[in-house]
């Protein structure tokens, strides 16, 4: 009886599906699925409205089949759009992200801090150390920068000077910090120097290459730091030095001196000297004078005091150091070195120990601790 009922209802149900917009072939398939389902379930639980039941089930089957067919077509379209097998084109938006984060709505210092955190991957603590400010102060600065750019369109790139500053700080952290970012900073700076005609971009690239050339000699096999005076200069990368010097000379020839070119000139003088004693310290002091004029940075003046101590003697270096705030990072380490050069081993040992307590990383802390222990051993022999 159910079979006869199903046969009698089939044309009517099929007509309803077609009137609802189903193509005839798809509607026919859906009705057949509904009839099979009816044979399976009606014997145990016959519906009160057989025609309505068939229409509902058939329409659901039609919708399911339509969705499945649409999904299959989308998958086929995606396969057709896939690139042919082979090397994928290299797409690197990292440098563009640096420019976008250095947004004109931010102050340069805030833009640098935000970019270092969001793109450079540095921690708030690392950024605070680079800026010589407390970590809490830097956290607030980054939070304010995020709020400032939260409602702006990132369609106005920042200026080159800000991006150069970010790359410089990323390199410094990778060169001497806990995260190896130096190679990435060199790669991005190389891209930037090739893309724009800017002597400071070239100066920064030269500086990075000259610093990076000494990297293999900066640590002993046990991971301890090796001071510049004790480094095996045969381990320096002469190809990187040659490239850095060539890039620097081309930049300086344009007579648009900037701080990165001045720093690179100092690094080039170190790279050119066979030994520390043969270094042209007088010229290095002159370059530090130029750098101090360009930046008015206390860190530059701290490094200048070391150069003065080498050029004119440790007491001249200590006199230059006396004009600086003793809370500067590495101030105690510089003072210790100059006092040791002057023969005051007790003061030097005390200052090395003090510097070790303030060291920004474990390798530097261990080095300064060993220096203090070495001098104390000499004093009490």
């Amino acid at each position: 009886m159910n079979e006869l009922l199903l046969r009698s209802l089939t044309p009517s149900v099929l007509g309803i599906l077609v009137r609802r917009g189903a193509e005839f072939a798809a509607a026919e398939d859906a009705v057949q699925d509904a009839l099979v389902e009816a044979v399976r379930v009606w014997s145990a639980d016959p519906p009160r409205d057989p025609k309505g039941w068939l229409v509902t089930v058939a329409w659901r089957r039609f919708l399911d089949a339509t969705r499945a067919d649409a999904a299959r077509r989308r998958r086929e379209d995606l396969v057709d759009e896939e690139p042919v097998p082979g090397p994928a084109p290299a797409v690197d938006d990292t440098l563009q992200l640096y420019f976008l984060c250095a947004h004109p709505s931010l102050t340069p210092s805030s833009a640098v801090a935000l970019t270092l955190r969001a793109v450079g991957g540095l921690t708030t603590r690392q950024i605070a150390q680079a800026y010589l400010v407390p970590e809490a102060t830097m956290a607030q600065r980054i939070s304010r920068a995020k709020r400032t750019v939260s409602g702006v369109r990132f369609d106005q790139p920042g200026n080159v000077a800000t991006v150069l500053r970010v790359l410089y700080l990323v390199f410094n952290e990778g060169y001497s910090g806990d995260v190896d970012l130096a190679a990435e900073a060199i790669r991005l700076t190389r891209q930037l120097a090739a893309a724009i005609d800017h002597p400071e971009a070239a100066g920064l690239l030269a500086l990075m290459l000259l610093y990076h050339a000494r990297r293999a000699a900066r640590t002993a096999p046990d991971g301890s730091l090796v001071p510049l005076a004790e480094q095996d200069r045969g381990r320096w990368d002469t190809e990187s030095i040659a490239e850095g010097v060539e890039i620097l000379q081309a930049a300086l020839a344009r007579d648009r001196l900037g701080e990165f070119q001045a720093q690179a000139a100092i690094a080039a003088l170190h790279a050119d000297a066979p030994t520390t004693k043969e270094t042209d310290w007088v010229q290095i002091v002159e370059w530090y004078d130029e750098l101090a004029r360009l930046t008015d940075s206390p860190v530059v003046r701290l490094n200048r005091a070391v150069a003065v101590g080498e050029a004119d003697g440790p007491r001249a270096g200590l006199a230059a150091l006396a004009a600086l705030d003793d809370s500067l990072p590495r101030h105690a380490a510089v003072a210790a070195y100059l006092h040791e050069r002057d023969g005051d081993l007790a003061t030097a040992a005390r200052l090395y120990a003090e510097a070790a307590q303030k060291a920004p990383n474990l390798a530097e802390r261990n080095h300064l601790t060993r220096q203090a222990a070495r001098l104390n051993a000499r004093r009490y022999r």
Side-chain angles (χ1 to χ4, degrees), residues 305-347:
V306 177
V308 169
E310 298 290 350
D312 301 326
R315 294 193 179 181
L318 287 168
L321 188 65
L324 300 176
D325 187 344
D326 62 8
S327 66
L328 276 173
R330 298 187 172 91
H331 185 284
V334 171
Y337 173 74
L338 292 171
H339 277 291
E340 180 184 357
R341 289 276 319 281
D342 195 39
D344 186 351
L345 301 188
T347 300

Side-chain angles (χ1 to χ4, degrees), residues 158-355:
N159 61 45
V160 173
T162 300
V163 174
L164 288 173
R165 174 63 51 187
V166 173
L167 290 169
Y168 173 68
L169 292 174
V170 169
F171 176 81
N172 278 347
E173 192 59 43
Y175 187 71
S176 61
D178 301 323
V179 182
D180 187 357
L181 297 168
E184 173 68 357
I186 291 174
R187 183 183 71 84
L188 293 173
T189 305
R190 195 184 290 279
Q191 284 185 11
L192 182 59
I196 64 174
D197 184 19
H198 196 299
E200 272 294 81
L204 179 58
L205 178 58
L207 173 64
M208 290 179 175
L209 290 170
L210 290 164
Y211 274 166
H212 206 61
R214 306 200 301 252
R215 188 167 192 179
R218 290 184 72 248
T219 54
D222 62 358
S224 59
L225 291 181
V226 179
L228 178 63
E230 301 172 18
Q231 288 178 17
D232 178 2
R233 300 188 178 213
R235 298 185 64 196
W236 289 2
D237 184 347
T238 55
E239 289 186 7
S240 291
I241 291 173
E243 183 186 3
V245 168
E246 182 180 358
I247 293 170
L248 173 62
Q249 288 174 339
L252 291 174
R254 302 183 62 181
D255 199 23
R256 289 168 54 192
L257 184 64
E259 63 171 299
F260 296 126
Q261 295 169 73
Q263 287 193 58
I266 294 170
L269 287 168
H270 282 299
D272 185 56
T275 65
T276 300
K277 290 183 179 180
E278 296 174 87
T279 303
D280 189 345
W281 288 106
V282 173
Q283 192 173 353
I284 286 179
V285 172
E286 292 174 354
W287 274 111
Y288 271 122
D289 289 338
E290 288 284 352
L291 192 54
R293 180 182 60 81
L294 289 166
T295 66
D296 194 29
S297 165
V299 175
V300 168
R301 298 185 186 280
L302 184 70
N303 291 330
R304 179 185 178 277
V306 177
V308 169
E310 298 290 350
D312 301 326
R315 294 193 179 181
L318 287 168
L321 188 65
L324 300 176
D325 187 344
D326 62 8
S327 66
L328 276 173
R330 298 187 172 91
H331 185 284
V334 171
Y337 173 74
L338 292 171
H339 277 291
E340 180 184 357
R341 289 276 319 281
D342 195 39
D344 186 351
L345 301 188
T347 300
R350 175 180 58 79
L351 288 169
Y352 275 131
E354 179 184 323

Side-chain angles (χ1 to χ4, degrees), residues 41-180:
V41 301
W42 279 15
S43 58
D45 185 20
R48 285 180 292 180
D49 181 7
K51 181 179 178 181
W53 189 96
L54 285 173
V55 169
T56 299
V57 173
W59 185 248
R60 288 174 180 169
R61 293 291 192 274
F62 166 74
L63 292 178
D64 289 343
T66 300
R67 294 190 187 104
D69 185 62
R72 177 184 59 78
R73 290 180 184 276
R74 283 196 297 271
R75 289 194 297 271
E76 291 175 351
D77 289 342
L78 289 174
V79 170
D80 291 340
E81 293 171 4
E82 289 181 357
V84 296
V91 178
D92 185 358
D93 295 328
T94 307
L95 190 58
Q96 182 65 17
L97 288 175
Y98 273 66
F99 272 95
L100 292 177
C101 282
H103 198 272
S105 64
L106 297 171
T107 64
S109 60
S110 294
V112 171
L114 177 63
T115 313
L116 289 172
R117 187 72 185 92
V119 186
L122 273 64
T123 65
T124 302
R125 181 181 181 183
Q126 289 170 322
I127 301 169
Q129 289 174 346
Y131 268 92
L132 311 181
V133 299
E135 184 175 351
T137 301
M138 182 53 63
Q140 292 175 354
R141 184 179 301 177
I142 294 172
S143 295
R144 285 195 300 269
K146 289 179 179 178
R147 287 196 298 271
T148 299
V149 300
S150 62
V152 302
R153 288 174 57 84
F154 279 82
D155 55 0
Q156 302 178 60
N159 61 45
V160 173
T162 300
V163 174
L164 288 173
R165 174 63 51 187
V166 173
L167 290 169
Y168 173 68
L169 292 174
V170 169
F171 176 81
N172 278 347
E173 192 59 43
Y175 187 71
S176 61
D178 301 323
V179 182
D180 187 357

